[in-house]
Amino acid sequence: MIVAGAGGHALELLDILISNGETKGVFFFDEINVDNYFQGTYPILSTENEVKKAFLEDPRFILGTGNPKVRHQFYSRFSNLGGKLISVQGKGVAFSNFSIGADQADIFNLCFIGGNTQIGKGCLINTGAQIHHEVKIGEFTEVNPGAILLGKVEIGSFCSIGANATILPKVKIGNNVIVGAGAVVIRDVEDGKTVVGVPGREFKNE
């Protein structure tokens, strides 16, 4: 199994893998840094040829970065090399029996996933985030630690919801939207906007 990335997010992911007893045969991928081992223990692959060879033994890979666009890039790249995306689930997660898609997203420790929620492929629900009833999230969106998505919120694809941000009920957020840390979003947001502050103010992404 390969973790696609070897930075800070991969460190937190590794702790979950250790806690779940899932570190046997784990590699990390990093084509920028020259270290041979991640945390002094886990081999680092740095070329696509090495990835292809590893996939012959075990085609599974996990997205080891938080950035939505980079997550999608790794997904496309590693899938084309013969890999199969899997998800990771941390400890202390409260799942509704009526949630959909949680098995195709990374859900870190101590999250809440409510009833009739829909979470898209490749999403990251980071530590302590709350996804309340009937929330819908597109693909490869990042919900950062402590963010709260209240009932019937809709989030598009390739969004980043900042740490401790709150999205009020029934708000609809488009694709490629960035919500700043601690922001409170009280109204709908169009594609490609950045929202910061309390209440949230919109700016066009650079």
Side-chain angles (χ1 to χ4, degrees), residues 7-19 28 38 64 88 90 108-109 124 126-127 145:
H9 182 75
L11 277 172
E12 298 187 355
L13 180 59
L14 175 58
D15 281 334
I16 293 176
L17 294 177
I18 291 172
S19 180
F28 286 77
F38 187 70
V88 64
F108 277 25
N109 298 330
L124 168 62
N126 216 324
T127 306

Side-chain angles (χ1 to χ4, degrees), residues 27-206:
F27 298 89
F28 286 77
F29 179 78
D30 186 346
E31 58 190 343
I32 299 175
N33 298 307
V34 295
D35 292 339
N36 293 320
Y37 292 92
F38 187 70
Q39 292 297 92
T41 301
Y42 304 95
I44 294 178
L45 309 180
S46 60
T47 69
E48 289 192 352
N49 284 336
E50 290 175 321
V51 171
K52 285 181 181 179
K53 184 176 179 180
F55 281 160
L56 293 176
E57 298 293 330
D58 183 348
R60 299 175 299 160
F61 71 92
I62 301 173
L63 300 173
T65 180
N67 182 284
K69 291 182 179 178
V70 178
R71 287 173 71 84
H72 183 257
Q73 289 169 1
F74 269 131
Y75 168 74
S76 298
R77 187 176 176 188
F78 278 30
S79 294
N80 289 335
L81 293 173
K84 180 181 179 181
L85 178 65
I86 64 170
S87 62
V88 64
Q89 295 182 1
K91 300 292 186 182
V93 178
F95 283 104
S96 168
N97 292 323
F98 305 103
S99 61
I100 299 171
D103 59 339
Q104 59 183 357
D106 293 334
I107 301 177
F108 277 25
N109 298 330
L110 304 175
C111 292
F112 172 81
I113 310 296
N116 291 359
T117 52
Q118 299 179 29
I119 302 175
K121 178 173 61 182
C123 284
L124 168 62
I125 312 300
N126 216 324
T127 306
Q130 300 179 29
I131 312 298
H132 286 270
H133 64 89
E134 300 166 278
V135 166
K136 297 179 181 178
I137 305 175
E139 296 187 344
F140 297 97
T141 280
E142 168 190 30
V143 180
N144 280 290
I148 301 174
L149 278 56
L150 295 173
K152 296 187 178 181
V153 161
E154 296 184 15
I155 309 288
S157 297
F158 301 101
C159 295
S160 179
I161 309 301
N164 296 311
T166 300
I167 317 298
L168 294 189
K170 299 182 180 180
V171 166
K172 294 179 173 62
I173 291 177
N175 301 314
N176 300 293
V177 169
I178 298 170
V179 175
V184 177
V185 183
I186 64 173
R187 60 178 62 89
D188 294 353
V189 181
E190 296 179 353
D191 293 354
K193 295 292 182 70
T194 293
V195 182
V196 298
V198 181
R201 304 183 309 279
E202 287 187 24
F203 301 89
K204 185 176 181 180
N205 290 347
E206 296 293 334

